[in-house]
Amino acid sequence: MRYLVGVDGGGTSCRARICDLNGNFLGEAKTGSANILLGAEVALTSINDAIATAARQAGLSEQDYPAMSVGLALAGGEQKSAWYAFMQQAMPYGAVTLNTDAYGACLGAWGGQDGAILIAGTGSCGILIHQGEQHVVGGREFPISDQGGGAVMGLRLIQQVLLRADGIGEKTPLTELVLTHFDHDIDAIVEWSKTARPCDYGQFSPQIFAHANQGDELGVAMLKQTAADIEMWMQALIQRGTDKICLMGSIAERIHPWLTPPMQQRIANPQGDAMDGAIAMAKGNHNLYPLEEVAL
């Protein structure tokens, strides 16, 4: 192997970074979704496109692919059947190791060493890496899990808006903002909910923060609940043996002031991101499941 390739793939985008064996940056590119739950072929197409673009930027070609060790930190990687479906595909690279995007983020946050993180963006997931083993809490997808994430925040907001539209609780500026978004048409909210994705619910999270900071009663109550959810996940990681936790993601990075002082003291600053973790994965075998079973 002459090149290390790190790939951070989520439901929205896929980033690929190429470095030499000393970690010197050579090229980077971004493409579409690489969540393997959306389909192994779809994810691989995005990954191949990102690597190809980054390779051209680095002055490399397809002839250099066999000299690449690729670390894949992908959303949906925890799903065993999806993991094997992806790894059974033909890939031109010299070596490939696959784990979750949370695993890559944790490795990046702790410089490739043991540690714990809690990701709270549209969804949420906590992970502790200790002596080669990973311990995961949450992350089972919206709507059955992902408490503390933006999608659950948005779902709860819609529920409260509908209750208050029925006269159960007082309307607030935050309530009015959501009703205005749907032209004060309750049927439109119901219809929207039939096809709304996690990101559609999550779009309201910035307004929840903004209104809570202005003293909006509903916004404050919602952020207190979100903070309690995040502390629940943090406590679960602490019980599994960690002392410090890096909070990562759009929600986690803004929730600090809403956490209790003891939990605030548990927060550590990340040393790097998921791309750094993916590069660290490329240096060895970080497969979530046994590779020898791929051919079975």
Side-chain angles (χ1 to χ4, degrees):
M1 299 299 113
R2 298 195 304 274
Y3 307 102
L4 301 173
V5 182
V7 176
D8 174 33
T12 302
S13 64
C14 170
R15 291 186 298 162
R17 180 183 299 166
I18 301 177
C19 299
D20 62 21
L21 296 183
N22 294 318
N24 297 311
F25 174 87
L26 299 177
E28 185 169 328
K30 182 178 180 180
T31 55
S33 171
N35 184 328
I36 63 176
L37 293 181
L38 300 179
E41 293 181 0
V42 172
L44 184 57
T45 296
S46 292
I47 292 164
N48 286 341
D49 288 347
I51 293 177
T53 304
R56 287 194 294 272
Q57 188 183 117
L60 304 175
S61 69
E62 293 183 7
Q63 294 181 343
D64 297 297
Y65 287 3
M68 293 180 178
S69 179
V70 181
L72 300 175
L74 305 183
E78 69 281 356
Q79 187 73 27
K80 192 172 184 178
S81 60
W83 190 96
Y84 280 108
F86 182 90
M87 292 296 279
Q88 285 170 351
Q89 298 179 103
M91 289 177 266
Y93 314 109
V96 176
T97 186
L98 170 60
N99 213 305
T100 67
D101 52 345
Y103 182 88
C106 194
L107 278 184
W110 291 97
Q113 303 300 313
D114 288 356
I117 65 167
L118 177 61
I119 302 173
T122 302
S124 66
C125 181
I127 180 171
L128 165 65
I129 299 176
H130 181 63
Q131 296 181 350
E133 294 186 7
Q134 56 179 310
H135 308 272
V136 179
V137 296
R140 295 179 178 88
E141 305 291 336
F142 176 85
I144 62 172
S145 184
D146 286 3
Q147 295 92 333
V152 168
M153 289 174 66
L155 173 60
R156 288 173 175 160
L157 175 60
I158 294 297
Q159 291 171 338
Q160 284 296 319
V161 167
L162 294 176
L163 287 172
R164 293 171 190 232
D166 288 338
I168 304 171
E170 296 293 327
K171 291 182 180 179
T172 73
L174 180 56
T175 312
E176 289 298 327
L177 179 141
V178 176
L179 288 172
T180 300
H181 179 84
F182 291 100
D183 295 324
H184 288 263
D185 186 344
I186 299 301
D187 286 343
I189 298 177
V190 175
E191 186 65 25
W192 168 86
S193 72
K194 303 303 181 185
T195 57
R197 300 164 298 170
C199 61
D200 296 323
Y201 283 101
Q203 69 177 308
F204 296 107
S205 61
Q207 293 297 337
I208 295 173
F209 274 95
H211 281 73
N213 291 330
Q214 295 169 6
D216 183 280
E217 172 267 325
L218 177 57
V220 168
M222 297 200 66
L223 280 198
K224 286 182 176 179
Q225 179 62 62
T226 297
D229 289 340
I230 287 177
E231 291 196 6
M232 172 187 69
W233 296 128
M234 292 178 69
Q235 191 61 49
L237 291 169
I238 292 167
Q239 290 173 353
R240 283 161 173 77
T242 190
D243 180 56
K244 296 287 187 177
I245 302 168
C246 293
L247 298 188
M248 308 176 76
S250 59
I251 303 300
E253 292 167 358
R254 289 182 287 171
I255 204 66
H256 289 210
W258 297 86
L259 301 177
T260 59
M263 283 302 183
Q264 290 179 353
Q265 294 172 9
R266 295 279 192 171
I267 298 172
N269 293 322
Q271 299 174 28
D273 60 12
M275 290 298 293
D276 298 307
I279 291 291
M281 288 171 58
K283 297 177 181 179
N285 177 11
H286 291 269
N287 284 316
L288 179 56
Y289 299 109
L291 192 58
E292 56 267 21
E293 295 183 18
V294 169
L296 299 181

